[in-house]
Amino acid sequence: MTNVIYAIAVLGILGAVFGLLLAVASKVFEVKKDPREEAILSHLAGANCGGCGYPGCAGCAAAILAGNAPVTACAPAGAENAAAIAQIMGMEAPSGERQVAFVRCKGGTNAKKRFEYVGVQDCMAATKVAAGPLECQFGCLGFGSCVNACQFGAMSIGPNGSAVVDPDKCTACMACAKACPRKLIVSVPASKKVHVACANQDKGKAAMSVCSASCIGCGLCQKECKKDAIHVVNGVAVIDYDKCVGCKLCTKVCPRDAILPVATAEEKEKYKAIKKAQAEKAKAAAEAKAAAAAAAGETTKA
C-alpha cells in the first residue's frame, strides 16, 4: 500500500514539475502575434475558398499583414471590409469598381462534338481524353469544375450546356477561373453588360466549322464601334471596358451573335434600316454637292 502511495506521489510531483517546465517554455518560446492579424481576419469572408491564392483566410490575413497581398486580396469580403483592412494597416481605402466573373463562351450545344465523353464529370479529366470531346479547343466543356469550385453559388451550367455566372451572387474570388482548364473565365466590371462570349482564336472558317456561335474575327464590330472600344485580337473580338459605353452597336452587326446581349432579329433589322437611310442621305448630299459644284463651274465659264 505504501509503495502505491509513493508511486502516486512521485507521479504527481513529476506531473507538476513537467507542467511548470512546459508553462515556462511556452512563455520563453512564445511567438508574439501581431493583434492586427486577428483584426484583419475578422474582416475576411471566412469561406476559406482559396480564391486569394493563399491557404485559407488565416493565410490571407498573414499575407496582407506581411505586405505580400493587397488589402483587397479577399474579393468576397467586399469594398467595405477592404476599407476596414486598409484602416487597420494604416493605408488609404482602395477605390475601383466591383468586378464579377464572366465565361467567354456560349458554345455548349452550339459547339460540335468529336465524341461522347463518358467518365468523371470534371473538365480537367475530360481534357485528358484526346484533348476533350469538343471540336472547339477553346470552348467550355460544361462538366462543372467551375461550379464545384464556387463557394457562393454564383456558377451554374446554363440551358445550352455552357457555364454561366450569376453576377448578383459573384464575389470575384475567381476560384472558378483557377478551376477552368480552358482559361475561359475572366474578371469584368460589374456595371458593363456588353461582353464577347467567345475565346476561339482560330481563323474565320475554322472557327465557324466548330461552333455556330463562334467569333470569326470579321471585324464588323470593330468598324461599327464609335468609341474604339472593341478590336479583333488574335482572331477574336476583345472589348476595352475603359472605353465601352454599352451602346450595343457591336451586338447588332455581329453575324454570329457572339457578343452579349444578343440582339433580336427585330433590333438588327431596325438598325439595318437606319444604316440604309443614313447611307441614302449621305449619297443624296454628296450628289447635291457635286451638282452644286458643277453648276458653279458652268456659271464661271459663262
Side-chain angles (χ1 to χ4, degrees):
M1 185 66 179
T2 303
N3 291 336
V4 174
I5 294 173
Y6 284 151
I8 293 172
V10 169
L11 288 174
I13 293 169
L14 287 174
V17 171
F18 286 130
L20 180 61
L21 289 173
L22 286 173
V24 171
S26 67
K27 292 295 181 182
V28 172
F29 299 106
E30 180 183 7
V31 177
K32 298 293 183 181
K33 197 169 186 179
D34 193 322
R36 292 180 299 170
E37 186 171 334
E38 286 298 325
I40 292 170
L41 185 60
S42 70
H43 287 286
L44 301 182
N48 292 312
C49 62
C52 60
Y54 294 95
C57 293
C60 182
I64 292 172
L65 185 61
N68 296 325
V71 295
T72 55
C74 180
E80 289 185 8
N81 282 308
I85 293 170
Q87 187 175 10
I88 292 168
M89 293 294 291
M91 301 166 60
E92 289 186 11
S95 59
E97 185 177 350
R98 185 174 81 89
Q99 301 284 303
V100 293
F102 174 74
V103 183
R104 296 181 300 151
C105 182
K106 62 187 286 282
T109 53
N110 295 315
K112 293 182 180 179
K113 287 187 177 182
R114 297 163 56 217
F115 59 87
E116 196 65 40
Y117 171 75
V118 179
V120 178
Q121 296 298 291
D122 176 80
C123 298
M124 182 59 77
T127 62
K128 301 299 182 183
V129 181
L134 298 182
E135 290 282 359
C136 178
Q137 296 304 299
F138 301 89
C140 174
L141 294 161
F143 294 112
S145 293
C146 55
V147 177
N148 296 330
C150 181
Q151 301 294 310
F152 304 95
M155 296 292 303
S156 63
I157 301 300
N160 76 329
S162 183
V164 293
V165 179
D166 182 340
D168 293 331
K169 294 180 180 179
C170 181
T171 62
C173 71
M174 303 311 290
C176 55
K178 293 180 175 67
C180 177
R182 293 279 174 90
K183 306 303 178 187
L184 294 173
I185 307 176
V186 295
S187 175
V188 300
S191 67
K192 301 298 183 180
K193 306 304 178 186
V194 179
H195 307 290
V196 179
C198 184
N200 194 317
Q201 296 180 14
D202 290 334
K203 291 185 178 180
K205 188 176 181 180
M208 189 181 295
S209 68
V210 297
C211 181
S212 62
S214 63
C215 172
I216 55 175
C218 65
L220 289 176
C221 54
Q222 180 174 313
K223 293 175 184 176
E224 196 65 24
C225 183
K226 311 302 182 187
K227 302 296 181 180
D228 191 40
I230 187 166
H231 300 90
V232 175
V233 181
N234 294 327
V236 64
V238 178
I239 294 176
D240 182 341
Y241 291 105
D242 290 333
K243 295 180 179 179
C244 180
V245 296
C247 67
K248 302 178 186 177
L249 293 184
C250 55
T251 69
K252 295 178 174 65
V253 298
C254 179
R256 306 285 290 170
D257 290 338
I259 307 177
L260 303 179
V262 174
T264 64
E266 183 181 355
E267 287 174 329
K268 289 190 174 187
E269 286 303 317
K270 184 177 179 180
Y271 189 65
K272 283 180 182 178
I274 292 172
K275 294 291 289 182
K276 183 179 179 181
Q278 288 175 343
E280 289 175 350
K281 185 177 179 180
K283 182 181 179 181
E287 289 175 349
K289 185 177 180 180
E298 290 295 328
T299 303
T300 301
K301 288 179 181 179

